[in-house]
Amino acid sequence: VTGPGDVLSNSASQSKVTSLLQGLTKALEKNPNLLGNSPSTEKLALHLVSGTNKVTCMSYDVTKTTSPLRATDFKFTNLKWLQLDSQYDCDLLPPLLITDQLANNPLRKHLQNILEMVIRGVQESLCVIDGEVRQDDEALDKTDSSKCSKADKKAQESKIYQVNLYIPNELGDIDETVSSVLGEMKCTGVLASRVFVHQKATVAEASQAVKEDIIRSFAARLEMHWDSLVEEEIGSPEETIVVHEPPRRVLIPLPYSKVALSDYLFPGEGPSEALVSILDLIGVKVSESAVYKDFEGQPDQCDLYNLTTNVDPPKNEDISVSTPSHSLFLLSGIAIAFVILLVSLFIQFYIK
């Protein structure tokens, strides 16, 4: 909250702020897969006095609608961020079978069904950090700063935690119902994830952050892709195989920080579009060379070819060209070899 004077000192202004916090919380809860929301019910309101640049902070519990704002002490410190990298292999997802019952569903419903499969698998997955299964209440950073040298501290600050998610493969009850399948939808590719947590984060907080990032990134791509489709692309019955390429993720590092923000680029777009978005949203200018535009890499054209043809793409060394001149050359070679054979037989039996 920004304004002249101490806005949070009177009850009327406090009532407006609490209503705003409650409204934001309800809006974020409507789509938890796409919008982030803190697990804590306590929200903070910062007030900047425009005339003196004085900053005050007050807390509010959104579950207690009648409770007032409470003054809170705070201070700005140099926060150490811990980086966690992970990947989600979409090829592990089973294809969504389009049966007679699902044939009339819109494309958005099919995408929602795929998203639900991703959410279920990620939420039930086992999170392994640097190849080790750790306790949830354990601190992610186990370094004792009081016993570390400057070199060790610098190495620890640049450390990247590698996270692997192991999704359970449970068959469950076998459905013996025979259904007619009209088609299928399959996701392929790798979703890259990078999250940053505070220096005192536990293993449980880090694992939850990685899972939420993967789910939110997948949901955001499907939402953006759906919004970009036109009516002709949604329903084209004359095409039996259609390949959709959702936007890919790029990272934009913030100045003087290791923290990077995410943006998504459609096929054909460049980093300049992402820089415009960041400038409009938070007013930060970033050099185009600093953007991690290959964080996920470009899609493999061979994979796209296989999806549309169901056969391996032709290779240059496997291509054989059959032309009339080639056939004539082959026949001439056979005739010459036959003549040489006759001459050798004549010499063998008659000249001797």
Side-chain angles (χ1 to χ4, degrees), residues 274-292:
L275 297 180
V276 172
S277 300
I278 293 297
L279 183 61
D280 293 340
L281 291 175
I282 59 177
V284 174
K285 292 184 178 180
V286 182
S287 172
E288 185 172 335
S289 60
V291 179
Y292 301 136

Side-chain angles (χ1 to χ4, degrees), residues 260-278:
L261 303 181
S262 295
D263 200 359
Y264 299 92
L265 299 180
F266 284 96
E269 292 183 340
S272 58
E273 282 82 0
L275 297 180
V276 172
S277 300
I278 293 297

Side-chain angles (χ1 to χ4, degrees), residues 52-66:
T52 61
N53 289 335
K54 179 183 177 181
V55 180
T56 58
C57 179
M58 305 193 79
S59 64
Y60 174 71
D61 192 340
V62 293
T63 59
K64 302 176 182 179
T65 56
T66 58

Side-chain angles (χ1 to χ4, degrees), residues 155-325:
Q156 188 64 23
E157 290 178 357
S158 60
K159 176 179 174 57
I160 300 176
Y161 295 88
Q162 299 295 333
V163 180
N164 294 324
L165 298 181
Y166 291 89
I167 300 174
N169 185 15
E170 299 178 357
L171 295 177
D173 297 333
I174 299 178
D175 187 5
E176 298 180 354
T177 304
V178 179
S179 302
S180 175
V181 177
L182 305 178
E184 68 177 23
M185 295 183 66
K186 181 174 178 57
C187 292
T188 183
V190 176
L191 184 151
S193 170
R194 176 171 294 177
V195 299
F196 300 89
V197 296
H198 60 89
Q199 57 190 1
K200 295 183 179 180
T202 62
V203 172
E205 291 175 335
S207 302
Q208 185 64 24
V210 172
K211 293 180 180 181
E212 288 184 358
D213 180 73
I214 292 176
I215 294 174
R216 188 173 301 119
S217 180
F218 198 95
R221 296 167 205 247
L222 294 185
E223 189 73 19
M224 294 176 63
H225 181 64
W226 167 259
D227 293 339
S228 68
L229 294 178
V230 295
E231 186 175 357
E232 291 77 8
E233 293 176 311
I234 296 176
S236 51
E238 67 277 0
E239 297 186 15
T240 57
I241 299 178
V242 179
V243 177
H244 293 268
E245 186 178 346
R248 60 186 177 91
R249 192 178 207 175
V250 295
L251 295 181
I252 306 172
L254 294 177
Y256 312 107
S257 175
K258 67 181 296 184
V259 176
L261 303 181
S262 295
D263 200 359
Y264 299 92
L265 299 180
F266 284 96
E269 292 183 340
S272 58
E273 282 82 0
L275 297 180
V276 172
S277 300
I278 293 297
L279 183 61
D280 293 340
L281 291 175
I282 59 177
V284 174
K285 292 184 178 180
V286 182
S287 172
E288 185 172 335
S289 60
V291 179
Y292 301 136
K293 55 181 178 295
D294 294 326
F295 179 59
E296 286 185 328
Q298 299 289 343
D300 191 346
Q301 297 300 322
C302 292
D303 291 340
L304 297 179
Y305 187 93
N306 292 335
L307 288 174
T308 55
T309 61
N310 292 326
V311 296
D312 294 332
K315 298 181 180 179
N316 293 333
E317 61 270 21
D318 296 334
I319 297 177
S320 60
V321 180
S322 179
T323 61
S325 59

